[in-house]
C-alpha cells in the first residue's frame, strides 16, 4: 500500500501513478492507490438524480487516529453505451485503456451526512479509484474499497469523477460491508468526463429530506448542486452539460435558408406561450430575434434518451422515420399533390404496400422500424412500406362513414377534450362583424327542431342539457384567408351540433362552415345536415364531416396533445430541476413523470412542429399551426382547469355533486374518457395525498419550504411567464394546495397524454376516418359550372381530392404508428416502486395500495367494454375504449398509461 503522502500526490499528479512493469515501467515498480471514500449524485429521485457540485470539496486522508474502521467494498455498475467510454470507436480509446489498466477509471468519494463535531464543517470525504473487474452482457463492473472510520456517520451521498475521456452511463453503486447490510445508491445517469467538466457528480442516498431537515453534512452540497444546475444564462449549451434554463420558441423557423421558412417568435406579449429549454445557439442573420437551428438540439444530459435502452425504443424509431423513411417517401412520391384515385388504393397500403427505393439504414437507429413498417422485397431490390391494419378498419371497414361513429369518437376517440355543452342560444360569434361578417349562426331554432323531429323544443333541449357542440368557428375563422393562400389546402370556421339521445349517445344534427369576407368576396357560410333521402345532400354531408374532422385533427394535435401535455409540461421540469434538490421528496415524486419529455420535445422542435415539418405540411392549419396554438394558449389555457374534474365542469360535461361518485355528476353518463379518467384521477389523488401528508404533516411546513415555494413561483413567473399575473393560479399554502397542483401535473403527464396519444394509429391510421387536412373547398362554395358538374358525376372523386395527398397521408401514418407505440422499457403509472419510496415503509405501503387500485381498474374497464348497454365503448365493430387502462405490453396496443410523456 502507498503511504499517505503518496496518496496525496497521486491525487494531484497523475503522472506519479505508476503502471505494472509489463506495460510501462522499465524498473518493475508498481503501485496501487489506497482506497478511500466520498459520495455525490442527482439523477433519479430514488436516490440518484444527478447534479454537478463544486470540485472544491477535497478529501485527503490525513487522520493518524487509531479508531476502528470498517472495510467497505463498492461495486460500480456501468452500462455499455454507443459511443461512450466502453465504445471501440474514437481516438481516445487507447488513452482510456491506459486509464483502466492504471486503475484510475472512476474516482468514488463517500460523503458523510454529519459535520465534524469539533470544527462544525463537513467531514473529509473518503475516496478510492474504482477498478475494472468484469463485464457481462451489457454491464461492466468496477470495484472500489474504503476503510470507513466508526465516527464517519451515515453515508449521505457519493461523489463521482469520471477519469475517462468520454462520458459513462452509471447504473448504480452498491456498498457491501456496512453494519446495516448492502447499501445501494441508484444512479441511472450519465457522468461526464472530467476533461469536459472537472466538477464531480453527486448522487444522494435514497432518504428524502425537506430543506429544513437536511443533515448538516449535506446542506452546503444541496445548495451548491442547485446553483450549478441553473447555470448563468450565458453561452451555447454543450452536449455533456446539465444546465436548466428558459427561452421562448424562437427556433422553429429558418429565415436564413428561405423567407418561406421564417416564423415569428412564439412566447411573449404578442404570441404568449410556455417556455422551452434554453440552448443558447447563435442568432439568425436575417432575423436576430430567431435562433439558428441545429441537427442536435441540446437538452440537459440526463433528460436525453439513454443509448443503452432497447434498440426498439420508440423515439429512436421516430428518428428513423423522420430522417430515413420520410425522405425516401418524398423521393418515391414525387408529385406532392397526387391524391388517391380510389378507396381501393388506400386499402392497398395495408395489404399490398408501397414500393420505394431501398432505404439507407442508419445502423442501430433504424433497426426498430424494420419489423413493423418496412419489409424487404424478396429479390433484394426495392423495399416495401406495408402498414399494419388499424384497429378501427380491422373491426369495421365502413365505420368511418357512419354518423354514429363520428359522434362516438368525440367521447371515446382521439380527442375527447373538445366537446362542449351548448350554454347559450342562439349560437353567435364573438368576433368583430365588421371584419368577419354576420355573427349569428345559420343553425337556427327551426332547423334544430326539424332535425330532432319535434321530440322537444330547443328551449327544452337546452334546459335538459341535450345540445353539445364542437366549436372551431371563432378559433379558425381569423386564419381562413391566410391559410387559403397556401397552395393545396383550405380552411373554414366550423360549428358541429349534436343532440344527446336517451341511450347516452350523440347524434350529429348540423355542421356550419364559414368563410369570412375577403376583398370583393362577401362572407360565405352554409349549414349541412344528415340526409338519407337526397343523394346530393348526403355527399355534401360527408364532405362537411371531412372538413370538421380535419379541424378536429388539427386542434387535437396542436392543443389537446402538443400544447396541453408536451409544451405545458416542459416548464414544470425545468423549474423542478432548478429549485428542488434531488433529495427533496416532491422532486422524487415528480421525477418518474418527467422522464424523457424534454428530449421528445426537442425532437418535435427539430422535425415535427418546425417550419415545413410534419405538422405544417400535413395538418390543418399549415404554416400557422403553432401560431394558432399560441392564440389558443392565450385565450383558453389555465392551470387550474387542466385537471380532469375542472376541465369537465368548464366544458359543461359535469356538475359538482357531493353525493355522486367522484363528487361529480356526468351530463353524458356513457362518456368513456370521463368515466375511466375520473376513476384514475381519484386513485392518483389518493396516492399523492398519502405521499404529501406524510412529508408535510403540518400546513406550516408548506409555506416554510423555500425550495418548494421557489419551484412553484418559477413555474408561474418564468415557465409560464406570459400568464404570471393571472388570478387563477393556485396558491401554495397548505397540503391540499400542493396535492391539487401535483395531481394536476401528474394527470397531464400520464393519463391525459395517454388518452390523446396512444390511440392515434388505431383511429387515424386509416386517414379517411380522421383526415389531418382538407385540401379543397366545398363544391357548393362559389363553384364553376364545370366543378359542380364533376361533383355530381363523381362525388367520390371530390371527397378523395379533399382528403390528404398520398405523401401527406403516408408520412403522417408512419409517424402516428411510432407515436402510438409502447417501448419495451416503458414505465407505467403505478407500476414500478422507486427506490426512494421503498426506503420509507409508509410511502411503500401507500404505493402498494395505489398499484392495487390500478390493477382493479384494469378489470373494471374490461367489464365496461363488455357491457353492450354502453354503446360508446361496446358493440359490433366498435373499438373498445382502453386508452386509460393502466398497463400494456410493448407495441401499438391502444392501452397503457405511462408515467411520463416519453413519445
Amino acid at each position: 500500500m502507498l503511504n499517505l503522502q503518496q496518496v496525496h500526490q497521486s491525487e494531484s499528479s497523475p503522472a506519479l501513478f505508476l503502471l505494472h512493469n509489463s506495460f510501462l515501467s522499465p524498473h518493475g515498480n508498481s503501485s496501487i492507490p489506497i482506497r478511500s471514500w466520498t459520495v455525490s449524485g442527482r439523477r433519479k429521485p430514488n436516490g440518484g438524480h444527478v447534479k454537478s457540485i463544486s470540485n472544491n470539496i477535497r478529501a485527503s486522508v490525513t487522520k493518524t487516529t487509531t479508531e476502528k474502521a470498517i472495510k467497505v467494498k463498492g461495486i460500480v455498475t456501468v452500462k455499455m453505451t454507443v459511443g461512450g467510454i466502453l465504445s471501440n470507436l474514437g481516438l481516445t480509446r487507447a488513452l482510456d485503456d491506459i486509464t483502466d489498466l492504471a486503475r484510475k477509471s472512476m474516482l468514488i468519494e463517500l460523503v458523510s451526512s454529519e459535520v465534524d463535531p469539533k470544527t462544525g464543517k463537513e467531514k473529509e470525504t473518503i475516496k478510492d479509484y474504482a477498478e475494472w473487474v468484469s463485464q457481462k452482457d451489457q454491464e461492466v463492473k468496477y470495484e472500489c474499497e474504503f476503510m470507513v472510520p466508526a465516527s464517519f456517520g451515515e453515508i449521505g451521498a457519493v461523489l463521482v469523477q469520471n477519469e475517462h475521456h468520454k462520458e459513462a452511463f452509471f447504473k448504480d453503486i452498491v456498498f457491501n460491508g456496512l453494519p446495516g447490510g448492502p447499501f445501494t445508491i441508484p444512479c441511472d445517469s450519465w457522468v461526464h468526463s472530467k476533461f469536459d467538466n472537472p466538477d464531480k457528480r453527486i448522487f444522494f442516498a435514497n432518504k428524502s429530506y425537506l430543506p429544513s431537515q437536511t443533515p448538516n453534512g449535506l446542506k452546503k452540497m444541496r445548495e451548491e448542486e442547485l446553483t450549478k444546475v441553473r447555470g448563468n444564462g450565458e453561452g451555447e449549451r454543450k452536449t455533456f452539460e446539465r444546465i436548466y434554463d428558459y427561452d421562448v420558441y424562437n427556433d422553429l423557423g429558418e429565415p436564413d435558408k428561405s423567407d418561406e421558412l421564417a416564423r415569428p417568435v412564439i412566447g411573449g406579449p404578442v404570441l404568449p406561450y410556455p417556455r422551452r429549454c434554453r440552448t443558447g445557439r447563435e442568432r439568425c442573420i436575417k432575423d436576430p430575434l430567431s435562433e439558428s437551428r441545429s441537427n442536435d438540439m441540446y437538452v440537459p444530459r440526463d433528460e436525453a434518451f439513454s443509448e443503452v435502452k432497447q434498440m426498439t425504443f420508440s423515439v429512436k424509431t421516430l428518428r428513423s422515420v423522420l430522417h430515413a423513411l420520410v425522405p425516401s417517401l418524398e423521393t418515391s412520391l414525387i408529385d406532392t399533390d397526387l391524391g388517391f384515385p380510389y378507396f381501393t388504393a388506400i386499402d392497398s397500403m395495408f395489404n399490398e404496400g408501397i414500393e420505394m427505393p431501398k432505404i439507407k439504414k442508419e445502423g442501430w437507429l433504424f433497426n426498430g422500424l424494420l419489423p413493423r413498417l418496412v419489409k424487404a422485397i424478396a429479390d433484394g431490390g426495392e423495399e416495401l412500406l406495408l402498414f399494419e391494419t388499424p384497429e378501427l378498419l380491422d373491426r369495421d371497414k365502413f365505420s368511418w362513414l357512419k354518423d354514429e361513429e363520428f359522434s362516438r369518437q368525440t367521447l371515446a376517440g382521439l380527442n375527447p377534450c373538445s366537446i362542449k355543452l351548448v350554454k347559450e342560444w342562439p349560437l353567435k360569434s364573438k368576433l368583430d362583424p365588421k371584419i368577419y361578417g354576420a355573427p349569428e349562426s345559420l343553425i337556427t331554432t327551426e332547423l334544430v327542431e326539424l332535425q330532432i323531429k319535434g321530440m322537444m323544443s330547443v328551449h327544452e333541449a337546452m334546459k335538459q342539457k341535450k345540445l353539445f357542440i364542437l366549436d372551431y368557428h371563432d378559433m379558425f375563422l381569423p386564419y381562413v384567408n391566410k391559410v387559403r393562400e397556401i397552395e393545396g389546402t383550405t380552411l373554414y370556421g366550423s360549428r358541429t351540433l349534436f343532440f344527446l339521445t336517451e341511450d347516452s349517445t350523440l347524434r350529429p344534427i348540423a355542421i356550419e362552415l364559414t368563410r369570412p369576407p375577403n376583398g370583393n368576396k362577401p362572407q360565405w357560410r352554409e349549414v349541412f345536415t344528415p340526409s338519407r333521402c337526397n343523394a346530393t345532400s348526403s355527399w355534401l354531408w360527408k364532405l362537411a364531416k371531412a372538413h370538421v374532422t380535419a379541424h378536429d385533427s388539427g386542434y387535437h394535435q396542436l392543443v389537446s396533445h402538443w400544447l396541453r401535455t408536451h409544451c405545458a409540461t416542459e416548464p414544470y421540469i425545468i423549474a423542478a430541476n432548478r429549485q428542488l434538490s434531488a433529495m427533496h421528496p416532491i422532486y422524487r415524486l415528480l421525477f418518474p413523470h418527467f422522464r424523457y419529455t424534454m428530449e421528445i420535445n426537442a425532437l418535435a422542435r427539430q422535425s415535427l412542429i418546425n417550419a415545413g415539418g410534419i405538422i405544417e405540411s400535413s395538418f390543418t392549419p399549415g404554416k400557422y399551426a403553432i401560431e394558432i396554438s399560441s392564440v389558443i394558449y392565450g385565450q383558453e389555457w389555465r392551470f387550474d382547469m387542466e385537471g380532469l374534474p375542472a376541465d369537465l365542469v368548464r366544458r359543461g360535461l359535469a356538475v359538482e355533486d357531493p353525493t355522486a361518485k367522484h363528487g361529480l355528476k356526468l351530463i353524458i353518463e356513457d362518456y368513456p374518457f370521463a368515466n375511466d379518467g375520473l376513476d384514475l384521477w381519484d386513485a392518483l389523488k389518493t396516492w399523492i395525498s398519502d405521499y404529501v401528508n406524510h412529508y408535510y404533516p403540518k400546513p406550516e411546513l408548506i409555506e416554510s419550504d423555500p425550495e418548494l415555494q421557489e419551484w412553484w413561483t418559477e413555474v408561474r413567473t418564468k415557465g409560464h411567464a406570459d400568464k404570471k399575473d393571472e388570478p387563477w393560479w393556485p396558491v401554495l399554502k397548505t397540503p391540499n394546495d400542493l396535492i391539487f397542483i401535483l395531481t394536476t401535473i401528474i394527470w397531464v403527464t400520464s393519463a391525459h397524454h395517454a388518452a390523446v396519444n396512444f390511440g392515434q394509429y388505431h383511429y387515424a391510421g386509416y386517414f379517411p376516418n380522421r383526415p389531418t387536412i382538407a385540401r379543397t373547398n366545398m363544391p357548393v362554395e362559389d363553384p364553376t359550372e364545370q366543378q359542380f358538374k364533376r361533383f355530381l358525376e363523381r362525388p367520390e372523386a371530390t371527397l378523395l381530392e379533399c382528403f390528404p395527398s398520398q405523401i401527406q397521408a403516408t408520412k403522417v401514418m408512419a409517424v402516428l404508428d411510432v407515436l402510438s407505440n409502447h417501448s419495451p422499457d416503458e414505465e407505467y403509472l403505478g407500476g414500478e416502486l422507486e427506490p426512494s419510496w421503498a426506503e420509507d415503509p409508509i410511502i411503500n405501503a401507500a404505493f402498494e395500495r395505489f398499484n392495487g387500485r390500478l390493477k382493479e381498474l384494469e378489470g373494471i374497464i374490461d367489464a365496461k367494454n363488455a357491457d353492450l348497454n354502453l354503446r360508446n365503448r361496446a358493440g359490433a365493430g366498435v373499438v373498445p375504449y382502453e386508452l386509460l387502462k393502466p398497463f400494456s405490453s410493448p407495441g401499438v396496443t391502444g392501452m397503457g398509461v405511462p408515467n411520463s410523456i416519453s413519445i
Side-chain angles (χ1 to χ4, degrees):
M1 300 286 273
L2 291 175
N3 62 32
L4 299 179
Q5 180 64 29
Q6 285 175 303
V7 173
H8 183 74
Q9 289 175 342
S10 70
E11 189 177 313
S12 58
S13 180
L16 298 180
F17 197 94
L18 303 178
L19 300 176
H20 190 276
N21 63 352
S22 64
F23 187 71
L24 285 181
S25 174
H27 305 294
N29 294 329
S30 65
S31 55
I32 302 173
I34 193 169
R35 316 211 168 202
S36 352
W37 241 47
T38 307
V39 189
S40 109
R42 173 180 177 96
R43 162 64 182 174
K44 268 208 162 189
N46 53 24
H49 186 81
V50 185
K51 284 188 175 178
S52 301
I53 63 164
S54 173
N55 69 341
N56 64 2
I57 301 177
R58 298 184 65 246
S60 57
V61 183
T62 58
K63 292 193 175 185
T64 58
T65 178
T66 58
E67 71 170 302
K68 290 184 178 180
I70 303 172
K71 180 184 288 187
V72 177
K73 181 177 290 185
I75 302 295
V76 181
T77 301
V78 175
K79 288 195 174 185
M80 297 286 286
T81 70
V82 178
I85 65 164
L86 302 173
S87 170
N88 290 321
L89 304 175
L91 297 176
T92 60
R93 176 67 265 175
L95 295 175
D96 289 343
D97 286 338
I98 293 172
T99 299
D100 281 343
L101 287 171
R103 301 175 180 176
K104 281 195 62 177
S105 303
M106 292 99 176
L107 179 63
I108 310 296
E109 302 182 37
L110 307 181
V111 179
S112 174
S113 294
E114 302 174 3
V115 293
D116 189 312
K118 295 181 179 179
T119 65
K121 296 181 179 180
E122 294 82 6
K123 290 184 177 181
E124 293 177 349
T125 60
I126 306 174
K127 65 179 65 174
D128 187 30
Y129 284 104
E131 303 172 3
W132 187 95
V133 291
S134 67
Q135 177 180 332
K136 184 178 181 181
D137 298 327
Q138 296 299 310
E139 294 183 349
V140 179
K141 303 289 185 182
Y142 291 79
E143 187 177 290
C144 44
E145 192 174 284
F146 311 90
M147 296 303 297
V148 183
S151 63
F152 188 74
E154 185 177 295
I155 300 169
V158 175
L159 292 169
V160 177
Q161 186 168 61
N162 176 12
E163 302 280 341
H164 290 92
H165 287 74
K166 292 185 178 182
E167 63 185 355
F169 189 87
F170 275 50
K171 178 184 177 183
D172 56 34
I173 306 174
V174 179
F175 298 103
N176 296 298
L178 294 167
F183 177 74
T184 301
I185 292 189
C187 304
D188 287 330
S189 175
W190 293 99
V191 177
H192 57 260
S193 164
K194 77 171 186 179
F195 300 100
D196 289 327
N197 180 1
D199 289 350
K200 298 169 186 176
R201 289 293 303 278
I202 178 169
F203 296 87
F204 288 111
N206 281 328
K207 192 171 182 179
S208 298
Y209 297 99
L210 298 179
S212 61
Q213 301 165 344
T214 310
N216 291 330
L218 302 176
K219 284 183 177 179
K220 183 178 179 182
M221 188 173 291
R222 181 172 184 151
E223 295 170 359
E224 289 179 339
E225 178 202 28
L226 287 172
T227 299
K228 280 285 185 181
V229 84
R230 292 173 194 143
N232 60 10
E234 299 177 359
E236 182 175 353
R237 298 273 64 88
K238 304 296 189 296
T239 302
F240 62 84
E241 291 180 324
R242 301 180 56 260
I243 304 299
Y244 293 80
D245 204 354
Y246 303 95
D247 207 344
V248 294
Y249 281 76
N250 61 353
D251 64 341
L252 302 181
E254 294 185 86
D256 290 347
K257 187 174 182 180
S258 165
D259 291 342
E260 283 297 310
L261 296 177
R263 295 294 181 269
V265 173
I266 307 295
V270 178
L271 291 171
Y273 221 49
R275 298 303 191 256
R276 65 165 175 93
C277 179
R278 179 185 177 277
T279 54
R281 289 164 292 176
E282 291 184 358
R283 297 304 177 101
C284 296
I285 297 172
K286 289 185 178 179
D287 179 12
L289 295 178
S290 294
E291 192 173 79
S292 60
R293 291 173 57 77
S294 168
N295 289 331
D296 296 313
M297 294 270 191
Y298 166 81
V299 293
R301 190 62 184 100
D302 278 338
E303 303 297 336
F305 284 95
S306 169
E307 292 173 343
V308 304
K309 298 299 179 185
Q310 297 283 345
M311 294 311 172
T312 52
F313 193 58
S314 301
V315 167
K316 296 304 182 186
T317 308
L318 182 56
R319 290 188 195 277
S320 298
V321 169
L322 296 174
H323 300 300
L325 177 60
V326 168
S328 183
L329 280 171
E330 290 171 343
T331 301
S332 302
L333 304 171
I334 299 173
D335 186 352
T336 57
D337 295 326
L338 184 65
F340 290 88
Y342 305 100
F343 277 94
T344 52
I346 300 174
D347 295 340
S348 70
M349 291 193 294
F350 308 108
N351 50 48
E352 296 176 16
I354 300 172
E355 290 189 16
M356 50 198 291
K358 202 170 187 66
I359 299 173
K360 179 182 179 182
K361 299 171 179 59
E362 301 177 27
W364 62 276
L365 277 178
F366 198 81
N367 291 341
L369 177 64
L370 286 172
R372 184 168 169 89
L373 286 180
V374 178
K375 318 293 182 184
I377 296 178
D379 61 11
E382 300 290 295
E383 287 186 317
L384 202 65
L385 179 64
L386 184 64
F387 289 97
E388 297 285 330
T389 304
E391 184 80 0
L392 180 85
L393 189 63
D394 197 40
R395 285 178 175 263
D396 184 349
K397 182 176 181 179
F398 303 105
S399 63
W400 69 277
L401 284 166
K402 301 173 184 176
D403 288 350
E404 295 86 352
E405 182 64 15
F406 172 65
S407 300
R408 188 188 76 84
Q409 289 183 30
T410 66
L411 302 172
L414 276 189
N415 186 31
C417 310
S418 287
I419 190 75
K420 298 177 182 178
L421 178 70
V422 176
K423 298 179 180 179
E424 296 179 357
W425 193 266
L427 301 175
K428 189 175 181 179
S429 171
K430 293 179 173 60
L431 298 175
D432 186 347
K434 294 180 182 178
I435 300 174
Y436 299 104
E440 297 83 7
S441 172
L442 289 183
I443 303 177
T444 62
T445 299
E446 294 75 20
L447 186 148
V448 172
E449 292 177 351
L450 179 65
Q451 284 296 309
I452 61 178
K453 305 187 186 312
M455 292 174 59
M456 62 183 68
S457 67
V458 168
H459 174 76
E460 187 63 25
M462 292 282 291
K463 184 178 179 180
Q464 294 187 30
K465 298 183 178 180
K466 294 283 191 179
L467 294 180
F468 294 84
I469 191 170
L470 281 181
D471 191 351
Y472 298 127
H473 185 277
D474 287 10
M475 190 180 299
F476 286 153
L477 201 62
Y479 283 87
V480 167
N481 291 330
K482 293 179 181 180
V483 169
R484 287 184 171 211
E485 293 176 359
I486 303 171
E487 187 176 351
T489 188
T490 191
L491 186 64
Y492 293 99
S494 67
R495 297 184 179 103
T496 307
L497 197 65
F498 300 86
F499 179 76
L500 180 63
T501 67
E502 292 301 318
D503 60 10
S504 203
T505 61
L506 293 175
R507 179 159 63 87
I509 56 178
I511 292 174
E512 181 179 26
L513 300 178
T514 303
R515 179 200 71 197
N518 184 14
N520 296 326
K521 289 185 177 181
Q523 180 192 63
W524 178 91
R525 53 187 177 154
E526 189 162 331
V527 176
F528 304 90
T529 57
S531 175
R532 292 179 175 83
C533 303
N534 185 309
T536 301
S537 297
S538 178
W539 275 103
L540 288 173
W541 173 248
K542 290 181 179 68
L543 282 158
K545 284 198 299 181
H547 281 275
V548 167
T549 50
H551 300 167
D552 193 61
S553 292
Y555 183 90
H556 159 257
Q557 208 63 264
L558 293 169
V559 181
S560 300
H561 187 190
W562 164 254
L563 172 62
R564 292 182 63 183
T565 65
H566 290 259
C567 186
T569 295
E570 187 152 339
Y572 310 148
I573 302 172
I574 298 172
N577 283 279
R578 287 169 56 87
Q579 299 299 340
L580 295 176
S581 167
M583 66 173 72
H584 198 293
I586 301 306
Y587 182 90
R588 284 177 160 155
L589 175 66
L590 287 171
F591 179 82
H593 305 288
F594 293 160
R595 179 183 188 240
Y596 298 153
T597 301
M598 292 180 72
E599 170 80 346
I600 191 63
N601 286 2
L603 182 57
R605 299 202 325 270
Q606 189 177 60
S607 303
L608 294 174
I609 65 170
N610 61 302
I614 298 294
I615 298 297
E616 284 197 1
S617 64
S618 304
F619 279 81
T620 296
K623 64 185 285 188
Y624 299 100
I626 297 302
E627 184 177 328
I628 287 182
S629 76
S630 165
V631 172
I632 295 169
Y633 171 77
Q635 294 175 353
E636 297 185 2
W637 190 90
R638 295 177 47 156
F639 181 89
D640 62 330
M641 297 293 172
E642 289 303 290
L644 179 61
D647 175 58
L648 293 172
V649 171
R650 175 169 67 165
R651 291 190 284 122
L653 272 296
V655 293
E656 295 182 4
D657 182 352
T659 67
K661 185 181 179 182
H662 312 299
L664 289 180
K665 180 182 178 182
L666 291 177
I667 304 304
I668 302 175
E669 293 181 4
D670 182 14
Y671 185 1
F673 167 68
N675 296 131
D676 296 355
L678 287 172
D679 283 341
L680 201 134
W681 171 275
D682 275 5
L684 188 59
K685 185 178 179 182
T686 299
W687 150 241
I688 293 170
S689 298
D690 290 341
Y691 191 97
V692 168
N693 289 326
H694 175 64
Y695 285 104
Y696 296 95
K698 299 178 182 179
E700 55 267 26
L701 290 174
I702 296 287
E703 287 194 88
S704 64
D705 184 335
E707 289 183 8
L708 186 70
Q709 293 296 331
E710 283 300 316
W711 165 68
W712 184 236
T713 297
E714 193 163 291
V715 166
R716 302 187 329 266
T717 62
K718 292 187 177 181
H720 288 271
D722 301 325
K723 288 182 175 278
K724 66 177 192 272
D725 297 322
E726 296 288 354
W728 41 254
W729 283 104
V731 296
L732 182 51
K733 293 184 177 181
T734 68
N736 283 339
D737 297 334
L738 181 57
I739 290 165
F740 173 75
I741 290 168
L742 294 174
T743 306
T744 299
I745 290 174
I746 295 173
W747 163 263
V748 167
T749 64
S750 58
H752 180 119
H753 179 259
V756 299
N757 182 74
F758 290 104
Q760 291 194 84
Y761 193 75
H762 273 8
Y763 284 103
Y766 184 65
F767 70 85
N769 180 63
R770 282 189 71 78
T772 57
I773 197 167
R775 297 192 297 150
T776 58
N777 296 339
M778 291 293 291
V780 290
E781 181 199 340
D782 303 334
T784 65
E785 184 176 338
Q786 184 177 2
Q787 287 172 332
F788 193 70
K789 180 182 178 182
R790 186 169 182 274
F791 161 65
L792 293 176
E793 292 175 348
R794 287 202 62 209
E796 179 183 327
T798 302
L799 180 59
L800 287 165
E801 289 169 0
C802 183
F803 283 157
S805 67
Q806 290 191 33
I807 184 63
Q808 288 171 328
T810 49
K811 284 196 301 186
V812 170
M813 289 165 65
V815 171
L816 295 186
D817 181 273
V818 179
L819 295 182
S820 304
N821 187 66
H822 289 296
S823 67
D825 70 329
E826 192 79 88
E827 295 178 4
Y828 294 96
L829 189 66
E832 182 176 331
L833 179 68
E834 293 288 314
S836 63
W837 304 344
E839 187 82 9
D840 189 310
I842 295 176
I843 297 301
N844 193 341
F847 182 81
E848 289 303 317
R849 292 193 296 273
F850 179 47
N851 173 268
R853 179 56 181 154
L854 294 183
K855 289 178 179 176
E856 288 178 16
L857 285 180
E858 296 246 310
I860 291 171
I861 290 172
D862 286 340
K864 290 177 184 176
N865 288 333
D867 186 349
L868 294 179
N869 293 315
L870 300 177
R871 299 187 183 183
N872 289 322
R873 64 190 309 153
V878 172
V879 177
Y881 192 76
E882 298 181 313
L883 290 171
L884 292 180
K885 277 188 76 171
F887 306 107
S888 173
S889 57
V892 180
T893 64
M895 65 180 75
V897 180
N899 275 325
S900 64
I901 305 163
S902 59
I903 187 63

